Amino acid sequence: MTCQCRTPERALREQENETPSKGEPSVDNNRGEFLDERLESADAETGGVLVCRVCHSRITRRDLGMAINGSRRHVFFNPDGLVFELGCFASARNLTPAGPETDEFTWFPGYRWQVVLCTGCSTQLGWRYVGADGGFFGLILKALMEEEQGIKS
């Protein structure tokens, strides 16, 4: 498994003084924000923001895309035959975990997965993947859209 991730300075944080946790991604249940050691620049929050297609909650940014197994995008189908095009992202926010972590039927060997829902509207936006070398988010690209100018959640 190839995990080529950048190390941005601030992880879509609303407050500059937040301290990200070390190790596996975890969720801050008060804000529905996943925290990990990958951080991003506050100045970089202009442009390329991806929001939930249903409620326009901010989820991630294009520049947080990362290559997993040599690609940032993957197409998979689940055991029921539903097809998903996923984008892989180092960090995301406004997501709520749903259900247990599991490694059954994982699309990324070596990673456990857990469904993630939009905190704003409960739409399934993808999965959080956690492995020995960290984690990432596999987000359903059809469920996201580019943020329109003037609309911020």
Side-chain angles (χ1 to χ4, degrees):
M1 162 128 336
T2 303
C3 177
Q4 303 166 358
C5 38
R6 291 177 261 171
T7 308
E9 290 176 31
R10 195 168 78 92
L12 286 172
R13 306 280 186 252
E14 293 174 7
Q15 300 173 0
E16 300 233 79
N17 60 355
E18 275 187 17
T19 304
S21 61
K22 298 287 183 192
E24 294 181 354
S26 60
V27 67
D28 174 348
N29 290 321
N30 296 326
R31 292 182 18 207
E33 185 172 344
F34 284 94
L35 309 174
D36 68 10
E37 68 245 16
R38 284 179 284 257
L39 304 172
E40 71 187 61
S41 169
D43 297 335
E45 285 194 29
T46 57
V49 175
L50 299 176
V51 299
C52 173
R53 188 171 292 277
V54 175
C55 72
H56 301 265
S57 292
R58 284 180 157 204
I59 304 300
T60 192
R61 290 197 336 257
R62 289 192 185 281
D63 66 339
L64 290 172
M66 61 187 287
I68 301 293
N69 293 338
S71 182
R72 291 177 179 218
R73 291 181 176 216
H74 300 270
V75 177
F76 297 110
F77 63 92
N78 70 9
D80 292 328
L82 297 174
V83 177
F84 296 96
E85 182 178 7
L86 302 183
C88 298
F89 296 89
S91 182
R93 73 172 189 180
N94 294 322
L95 297 173
T96 301
E101 282 186 11
T102 184
D103 59 1
E104 292 183 42
F105 304 110
T106 187
W107 291 324
F108 299 99
Y111 287 88
R112 298 179 313 280
W113 58 268
Q114 183 177 31
V115 170
V116 291
L117 309 176
C118 175
T119 300
C121 66
S122 297
T123 298
Q124 181 181 351
L125 295 184
W127 297 266
R128 175 179 72 142
Y129 289 89
V130 179
D133 61 347
F136 65 95
F137 293 88
L139 300 178
I140 302 167
L141 296 176
K142 269 176 66 172
L144 301 173
M145 65 183 218
E146 191 93 23
E147 180 178 65
E148 296 177 24
Q149 291 294 338
I151 299 177
K152 294 185 180 182
S153 301

